[in-house]
Amino acid sequence: MRIAIGGVVHETNTFSNVKTTLASFTTWEWEQGARVVERHRGVSNYLGGMIARAEELQIELVPLCSALANPAGIIESSAYETLKSQLLLSLSEAGPVDAVCLSLHGAGVVEGIDDMEGHLLGSVRSRIGQGVPLVATLDLHANVTEAMVAAADALLGNHLYPHTDSYDKGWEAMDLAVQMAEGRIRPVMHLQKLPLLIPPSTTNLSPAHEVNERCAKWESERRMLDCVFFHGFPYTDTPDVGVSVLTVTDDDKDLAVRAAEDTARYIWHMREQFKQPLLTPEEGIQEALAESNFPVIINETSDNPGGGTPGDATHLLQAMLDANLDKACFAFICDPEVVESAIAAGVGSTIEVKLGGKTDSLHGEPVTIKAYVKCITDGKFVATSPMGRGAVLDHGRSVRLQAGGLDIIVSSVKGQVKDEQIFVLHGIDITRYRLVALKSSQHFRAAFEPLAARIITVDSPGLTTLQLHHLNYQRITRPIYPLDEVDYD
Ligand SMILES: [Zn+2]
C-alpha cells in the first residue's frame, strides 16, 4: 500500500499588516520529497504521527511536500499558487496512491480565497478523484467550512490546547486512511457551526475542559471516530470564522448529527464562561510581586506571535522597566535592528537602543533602554515542550540584554515561547527568577505549568487581545456572540 503525505500550514491573522509571502514559508518550512520524512520523523507533531503509524504498518510513504509559516497576515496569492502547484505536481508525479493524508491548519486565508484549506482540499480531490481516500488533520483553531468537509473523507482535529495531541491526531489520521483504503470503514462527517467567537481558551481549565469531557462521552459510542470542539481562530475576519463541532463516524450519519448538535448546544449554554478576567500589564506585575513563591509567569497574551502578532509589543516590557524589578526576565522581543547593534558592540559592552514597537502603532512605542550585552547566540534550539518536542527551531541571531534587574532576550525572527529552551540557550535558569515574562496565549502552559508557582495572564492592546470587540471586523457573519446578542437555541 502507498500513501501520500504532505501539508500546508498557516494560521492567518487578517488584522496583521505583515503579509505572508513565499519567503515566510522558506524561513520556517518548505520541504519536498524525502526531506519531509527526514524532518518530521520522531517529532511530536501531525506529520511525525502520520509517519510513525505508516512505518508501524509497513506502509510505503510517498512524501509530497510540506510548508509552514509562522502565523501572520494574509497569504500572498502567488505564494499559495506556488505551494499548491508543487503539492499537486508531486501528487501527479507520485503515480497511483491508495490514500492521501495531509497536515493542514484550517485558518489559512489567501488574497482572494477566504478558505485556503477548502480550496486546497478541493484541488487535491479533483486531482485524485472520488475513489481515493483523502484524510487531513486540522488545528483546534480551524474555522472549519462545509467546503473542507465536502472535499475530504475525514478531518481530524486537536482536542487539546496546548496542542499536545498533534502527534496522536496524525497517527489516527494515517490509521483511518489505511482502514479506508482497505475498505474496513466508511467515514461520515457532520459539521455544526455556532454563531460564537471565543478568545484563546486552554483545555487544561474550565470551561473548555468540560466541553472536552462531553466530546469524550460521545466518543465512547462504538461508531464514533472523532468528536471535536473546534475553537476557531477569532483573529480571521472572514465569513466562516467561529466555533464549530465536527463529528466523524463510521457510516452513521444519524449519530454524527446527534453528537454534533448536542455538543454545540452544550458549548452555547456555557458561552458566558469563556469570558476571562482581564488584567493590564501593570496590574499583573503587582499581583506577581505579591506572590511569595516563584517563579511567577506573566504571559502577554495580546502579543502572541503564534497568533500572527508582531512579537515586538512593548506594553508589558515598558511596565516591567517602570516597576524597576529585580530577578526578572523576558523572552522574547523580536527586533533584528537591536540584535545587530548588540552584536556590533560586542559582549561586555553597554548599548543604548530603541527596542521593539516598530511594526505598527497598536503594540506600543519603541522603548529606549541602556543595556549590557550579556551574550550572543545563533537562536537555534531543539524544542522540549510536550507540544512539538524534537522540532528544531531557529529564531535567528539573538542576544541577551540586561537592563537593571531585568534580563531581556531579543531575537531576529519572531516566535511564540513554548518552552524554557530559549532561556536556557541564553544562560538563564528561570527557576532562579522571581518573575518570568513571555509572549504566548496558551501553548506555553504545556511546558511552564509544572515550573511555575503561578501563571498570570495580562492583556494590552494587540492583535491577539482577549477583548474581541476591540477588533475591527468587517466581513464576519453577524450576528455573532459576544459582539451581538444572538438567538441561537
Ligand atoms: Zn492552534
Side-chain angles (χ1 to χ4, degrees), residues 11 105 139-141 161 163 443:
E11 184 178 71
H105 183 288
D139 186 278
L140 167 141
H141 294 105
Y161 183 24
H163 307 332
H443 285 327

Side-chain angles (χ1 to χ4, degrees), residues 23-296:
S24 311
F25 287 95
T26 53
T27 297
W28 283 83
E29 177 174 343
W30 178 219
E31 304 286 8
Q32 291 168 47
R35 277 285 306 150
V36 176
V37 175
E38 288 165 21
R39 180 162 178 153
H40 291 278
R41 181 185 281 124
V43 177
S44 294
N45 63 15
Y46 305 99
L47 284 168
M50 290 177 197
I51 292 164
R53 185 57 178 151
E55 293 184 342
E56 285 166 16
L57 296 172
Q58 300 184 321
I59 301 290
E60 181 188 346
L61 277 173
V62 182
L64 306 173
C65 48
S66 66
L68 178 149
N70 200 50
I74 196 162
I75 303 166
E76 285 188 345
S77 175
S78 57
Y80 171 64
E81 284 304 321
T82 302
L83 303 178
K84 186 191 74 178
S85 302
Q86 183 60 43
L87 186 75
L88 295 178
L89 177 67
S90 53
L91 192 53
S92 296
E93 289 176 349
V97 293
D98 296 289
V100 177
C101 201
L102 299 177
S103 165
L104 305 175
H105 183 288
V109 183
V110 181
E111 290 169 332
I113 303 172
D114 285 338
D115 172 14
M116 178 180 78
E117 289 80 2
H119 191 267
L120 189 66
L121 285 164
S123 303
V124 171
R125 173 60 77 199
S126 299
R127 185 62 55 100
I128 61 178
Q130 290 299 328
V132 178
L134 174 55
V135 179
T137 54
L138 298 175
D139 186 278
L140 167 141
H141 294 105
N143 295 313
V144 188
T145 67
E146 290 292 356
M148 298 179 202
V149 173
D153 291 295
L155 297 168
L156 301 180
N158 290 114
H159 290 222
L160 303 177
Y161 183 24
H163 307 332
T164 48
D165 57 344
S166 301
Y167 176 95
D168 298 334
K169 302 317 288 188
W171 192 99
E172 278 178 45
M174 178 58 71
D175 196 65
L176 285 189
V178 171
Q179 290 192 55
M180 278 193 74
E182 291 175 343
R184 289 189 280 137
I185 57 168
R186 187 177 165 278
V188 173
M189 289 190 278
H190 183 73
L191 174 65
Q192 190 73 36
K193 304 227 22 145
L194 286 103
L196 174 63
L197 297 174
I198 59 170
S201 307
T202 180
T203 54
N204 293 4
L205 302 170
S206 180
H209 184 75
E210 279 76 9
V211 178
N212 274 359
E213 287 179 343
R214 190 81 163 201
C215 291
K217 186 177 80 69
W218 280 107
E219 286 189 347
S220 66
E221 297 266 341
R222 192 175 58 83
R223 301 186 83 161
M224 182 66 73
L225 301 173
D226 209 18
C227 176
V228 185
F229 165 30
F230 282 100
H231 295 202
F233 187 62
Y235 309 106
T236 299
D237 188 15
T238 57
D240 277 306
V241 71
V243 171
S244 61
V245 178
L246 182 68
T247 49
V248 189
T249 64
D250 180 12
D251 203 15
D252 191 337
K253 183 69 181 175
D254 179 61
L255 174 62
V257 172
R258 276 190 293 122
E261 287 182 349
D262 170 75
T263 310
R265 263 194 308 275
Y266 186 70
I267 296 166
W268 183 252
H269 286 129
M270 297 181 90
R271 64 192 178 282
E272 296 242 351
Q273 295 176 42
F274 286 94
K275 291 178 180 166
Q276 295 171 27
L278 296 169
L279 290 179
T280 64
E282 292 77 8
E283 291 165 345
I285 290 167
Q286 288 313 311
E287 285 217 9
L289 291 175
E291 279 290 327
S292 50
N293 296 321
F294 63 92
V296 177

